[in-house]
């Protein structure tokens, strides 16, 4: 297929892709609960005549297109939503209170379903295997790790993997990524500060965990500003603080939660150790104790293979125009696409969906997050062109 054919065929099914996206958007599901979304993916693949395997990592689906005689590459989309109440002014708003596709995973799934349709329609031209990975639980659930561990990159072995993520920071019709470390390694923090509560009018008879916890929050910031090399990237953000239930009572404990970010897994480990030392030291100095844990998964950094990015850049340029594809710097967001690129070469890229004229200006994870749906068929075309170019290059 020529890129012009891919563009025209993707545009022809644009409304179909949009309707898939809107159906998913109306019924957002949190990590490992994507049962309805998974059924939609399965029924769509069945209608297209694409063989698939289901119930991988609980709700994951992997479709297969191609003749199976050549190399194997993979395209990946995530399916889960976020625990955010939607405030976007769209006709297809979330029908489930407190849940929203605020990170564009509905777009990712729809674009990959579009690619599945175009690829299946041209399957006779595919020499090799293209795996279509529909993954659950990207938002903190390490669904990519579970999918990987359950063998989605095997039988046949995937030689390269590619993924797209929508971005409000980029205008519609553009794409950006880079070779090397694109996204950060991440870890969650939980600190339980325990003291001796009592009457708020008699603080001298207590060991105040609120004051102690506040000191910990402030002091942790110096790990970045005074211990990290200024040329090294790192973040410690305490985002949750819970303590007390009355204005005249000093509570016996305070719980802090937040996140650590670094561009390397080694950097995460160093910061974790210093968080423990600082929190415990401040607690002791204030006659309290601090229990520090790092719940959930420590996500590795997302590292793009140089050859894969070069191929992805050329493939996107053939769809969008070379001038619309750019290099970007590393950012401190995390992505569990990183679990795939730990074991096979791959490339993760950002596709522009920003458009001030329609109010698509709010960032991901915002209750008013909105996308320019004109980008969806472009994403489908980029998926298809990247997959076919990758197979030809292997």
């Amino acid at each position: 297929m020529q890129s012009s054919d891919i563009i025209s065929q993707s545009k022809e099914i644009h409304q179909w892709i949009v309707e898939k996206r809107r159906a998913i958007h109306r019924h957002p599901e949190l990590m490992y609960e994507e049962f309805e979304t998974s059924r939609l993916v399965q029924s769509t693949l069945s209608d297209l005549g694409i063989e698939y395997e289901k119930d991988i990592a609980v709700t994951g689906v992997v479709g297969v297109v191609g003749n199976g005689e050549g190399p194997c590459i993979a395209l990946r989309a995530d399916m889960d939503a976020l625990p955010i109440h939607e405030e976007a002014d769209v006709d297809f708003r979330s029908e489930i209170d407190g849940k929203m596709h605020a990170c564009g995973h509905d777009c990712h799934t729809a674009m990959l379903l579009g690619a599945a349709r175009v690829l299946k329609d041209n399957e006779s031209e595919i020499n090799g295997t293209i795996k279509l990975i529909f993954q659950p639980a990207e938002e903190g659930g390490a669904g990519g790790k579970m999918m990987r561990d359950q063998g989605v990159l095997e039988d046949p072995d995937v030689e390269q993997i590619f993924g797209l993520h929508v971005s409000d920071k980029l205008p519609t019709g553009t794409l950006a990524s880079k070779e090397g470390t694109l996204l950060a390694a991440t870890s969650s923090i939980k600190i339980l500060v325990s003291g001796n509560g009592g009457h708020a009018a008699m603080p001298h008879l207590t060991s105040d965990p609120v004051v102690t916890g506040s000191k910990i929050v402030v002091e942790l910031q110096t790990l970045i500003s005074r211990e990290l090399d200024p040329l090294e990237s790192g973040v410690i953000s305490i985002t949750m603080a819970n303590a007390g239930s009355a204005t005249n009572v000093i509570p016996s404990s305070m719980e802090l939660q937040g996140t650590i970010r670094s561009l390397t897994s080694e950097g995460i480990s160093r910061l974790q150790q210093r968080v423990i030392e600082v929190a415990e030291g401040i607690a002791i100095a204030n006659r309290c104790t601090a229990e520090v844990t790092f719940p959930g998964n420590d996500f590795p950094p997302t590292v793009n293979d140089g050859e894969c990015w070069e191929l992805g850049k050329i493939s996107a340029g053939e769809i969008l125009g070379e001038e619309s594809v750019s290099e970007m710097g590393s950012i401190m967001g995390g992505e569990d696409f990183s679990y795939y690129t730990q074991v096979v070469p791959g490339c993760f890229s950002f596709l522009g969906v920003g458009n001030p004229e329609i109010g698509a200006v709010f960032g991901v994870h915002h209750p008013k997050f909105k996308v320019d749906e004109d980008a969806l068929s472009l994403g489908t075309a980029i998926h298809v062109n990247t997959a076919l170019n990758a197979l030809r290059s292997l």
Side-chain angles (χ1 to χ4, degrees):
M1 292 181 72
Q2 299 296 316
S3 57
S4 57
D5 297 324
I6 295 171
I7 293 169
S8 62
Q9 290 186 33
S10 297
K11 284 183 176 179
E12 286 173 5
I13 62 168
H14 175 77
Q15 195 56 39
W16 183 88
I17 300 168
V18 168
E19 290 305 318
K20 294 294 181 184
R21 183 256 168 161
R22 292 184 177 185
I24 298 167
H25 191 90
R26 291 187 185 97
H27 300 282
E29 298 169 298
L30 304 184
M31 60 181 178
Y32 296 121
E33 298 176 357
E34 309 92 337
F35 297 104
E36 186 171 337
T37 306
S38 182
R39 283 191 289 270
L40 182 148
V41 169
Q42 293 171 48
S43 65
T44 302
L45 295 179
S46 293
D47 291 344
L48 295 174
I50 294 175
E51 294 184 1
Y52 64 86
E53 185 177 352
K54 64 177 182 175
D55 302 334
I56 308 169
V58 186
T59 57
V61 181
V62 177
V64 178
V65 181
N67 63 11
E69 295 179 1
C72 176
I73 68 100
L75 302 172
R76 173 269 202 172
D78 38 18
M79 303 187 294
D80 55 324
L82 284 158
I84 295 173
H85 186 76
E86 182 161 19
E87 298 177 9
D89 58 341
V90 293
D91 296 335
F92 48 92
R93 284 179 59 176
S94 168
E95 297 177 7
I96 304 174
D97 287 345
K99 298 180 183 179
M100 175 191 175
H101 270 290
C103 199
H105 297 187
D106 52 339
C107 299
H108 304 165
T109 300
M111 291 189 298
L112 189 55
L113 287 174
R117 180 170 171 175
V118 174
L119 288 167
K120 185 62 179 179
D121 286 345
N122 298 274
E123 191 170 32
S124 61
E125 299 182 36
I126 300 174
N127 181 33
T129 300
I130 300 170
K131 290 188 178 182
L132 311 167
I133 299 176
F134 298 89
Q135 177 207 302
E138 188 279 327
E139 296 290 353
K145 182 177 187 297
M146 188 179 293
M147 292 283 277
R148 184 195 71 184
D149 291 348
Q150 292 187 14
V152 300
L153 300 180
E154 304 166 7
D155 192 29
D157 291 344
V158 171
E159 296 183 43
Q160 294 178 344
I161 185 168
F162 299 88
L164 291 176
H165 197 300
V166 296
S167 172
D168 62 286
K169 303 296 187 294
L170 298 169
T172 298
T174 65
L175 178 140
S177 191
K178 70 183 294 288
E179 177 182 352
T181 302
L182 176 68
L183 291 155
T186 71
S187 172
S188 296
I189 315 167
K190 182 177 180 180
I191 304 173
L192 180 62
V193 183
S194 299
N196 178 33
H199 201 296
M202 294 173 276
H204 60 292
L205 300 179
T206 73
S207 298
D208 191 339
V210 176
V211 172
T212 303
S214 300
K215 291 180 180 180
I216 291 172
V217 172
V218 173
E219 193 63 26
L220 288 180
Q221 304 311 304
T222 67
L223 297 182
I224 303 300
S225 66
R226 286 297 176 267
E227 293 192 16
L228 206 62
D229 188 321
L231 299 179
E232 183 179 351
S233 298
V235 172
I236 297 177
S237 292
I238 301 300
T239 57
M240 299 170 61
N242 298 294
S245 58
T247 59
N248 61 349
V249 176
I250 292 174
S252 60
S253 66
M254 181 182 195
E255 184 179 275
L256 305 170
Q257 293 192 56
T259 185
I260 302 175
R261 307 287 169 116
S262 173
L263 292 180
T264 66
S265 294
E266 295 76 16
I268 288 285
S269 296
R270 290 196 304 270
L271 288 173
Q272 285 176 332
Q273 183 58 39
R274 287 297 288 138
V275 168
I276 293 171
E277 293 167 357
V278 168
E280 290 181 348
I282 290 174
I284 290 170
N286 287 271
R287 297 179 295 128
C288 292
T289 62
E291 179 186 355
V292 183
T293 56
F294 305 99
N297 297 274
D298 289 351
F299 289 75
T302 301
V303 181
N304 282 341
D305 174 78
E307 290 185 6
C308 289
W309 165 229
E310 189 62 29
L311 184 144
K313 180 164 52 176
I314 292 171
S315 300
E318 290 173 346
I319 301 299
L320 304 174
E322 291 182 13
E323 71 285 353
S324 297
V325 180
S326 61
E327 301 273 346
M328 62 181 287
S330 303
I331 58 177
M332 300 307 287
E335 238 292 344
D336 76 355
F337 188 81
S338 57
Y339 287 111
Y340 303 116
T341 55
Q342 275 188 318
V343 294
V344 300
C347 181
F348 194 72
S349 301
F350 287 96
L351 177 68
V353 294
N355 184 349
E357 293 184 4
I358 63 167
V361 296
F362 296 96
V364 295
H365 295 209
H366 191 284
K368 293 184 179 181
F369 176 68
K370 189 176 179 180
V371 307
D372 183 352
E373 292 180 322
D374 286 349
L376 299 184
S377 56
L378 296 176
T380 283
I382 291 168
H383 271 316
V384 172
N385 201 39
T386 301
L388 297 178
N389 284 344
L391 289 180
R392 283 192 283 264
S393 70
L394 291 172

